[in-house]
Amino acid sequence: MATNNVMNGTIMVFKYGTDHTTNDALAFSTSASLSFSMDTRDISNKGSQGFRELLEAQMSWSLSVEGLYAVKDANGGTIKNYNALLNLLKTRTAVYVEIGTGVSGDSYYYGDAFITSLEKTAPMEDNITFSASFEGTGALSESAQS
């Protein structure tokens, strides 16, 4: 059953992988953000009375995620975290990304993107964290979680 009322951000999950069948959740993620934007094209002319006039142009989307840095999980198992993202960034290939709640009936978004930035931060006496940015290539699709 789809989520009712205001959603708690904790249930939002970011997944990535080489395709839609081999994607896993980003381990120890703390936040995720999805952005859409649209460029405009200037059509101002002498009849615009000194005001700028615009029409639509290309649309784009991007994702950013943050998480706690770890190499293995508590049991020593391999996880998808900063190191896995770094390896994908080095290959310069698009990856499949997905963001949604995983709750049946809720919407989720998916598409292909390039990792455009990856940063690891290590403050004194605090958790090591990381952040990653993804720029979409092509359309971002929406579907209902089954």
Side-chain angles (χ1 to χ4, degrees), residues 34-36 61 63 97 99 109-112 138-142:
L34 174 61
S35 298
F36 294 93
W61 59 274
L63 275 164
V97 295
I99 187 167
Y109 300 91
Y110 60 95
D112 292 321
L140 184 69
S141 299
E142 179 182 8

Side-chain angles (χ1 to χ4, degrees), residues 110-133:
Y110 60 95
D112 292 321
F114 289 97
I115 301 171
T116 56
S117 70
L118 184 60
E119 180 178 340
K120 183 169 39 172
T121 306
M124 189 171 106
E125 296 296 327
D126 205 350
N127 296 326
I128 297 175
T129 61
F130 69 92
S131 61
S133 297

Side-chain angles (χ1 to χ4, degrees), residues 51-126:
F51 290 91
R52 187 168 73 145
E53 293 185 58
L54 302 170
L55 285 177
E56 77 291 339
Q58 288 186 317
M59 294 181 63
S60 62
W61 59 274
S62 62
L63 275 164
S64 60
V65 295
E66 295 177 345
L68 300 173
Y69 176 78
V71 178
K72 305 272 184 183
D73 66 16
N75 298 319
T78 303
I79 59 170
K80 290 183 102 174
N81 197 271
Y82 174 88
N83 293 342
L85 290 172
L86 181 58
N87 288 335
L88 288 169
L89 174 63
K90 288 178 178 179
T91 66
R92 298 179 176 200
T93 56
V95 296
Y96 172 84
V97 295
E98 183 177 303
I99 187 167
T101 64
V103 175
S104 181
D106 283 357
S107 292
Y108 72 98
Y109 300 91
Y110 60 95
D112 292 321
F114 289 97
I115 301 171
T116 56
S117 70
L118 184 60
E119 180 178 340
K120 183 169 39 172
T121 306
M124 189 171 106
E125 296 296 327
D126 205 350

Side-chain angles (χ1 to χ4, degrees), residues 3-21:
T3 306
N4 292 326
N5 213 337
V6 177
M7 292 183 175
N8 183 326
T10 304
I11 67 172
M12 189 65 68
V13 176
F14 170 75
K15 296 180 178 182
Y16 71 99
T18 53
D19 59 48
H20 73 282
T21 61

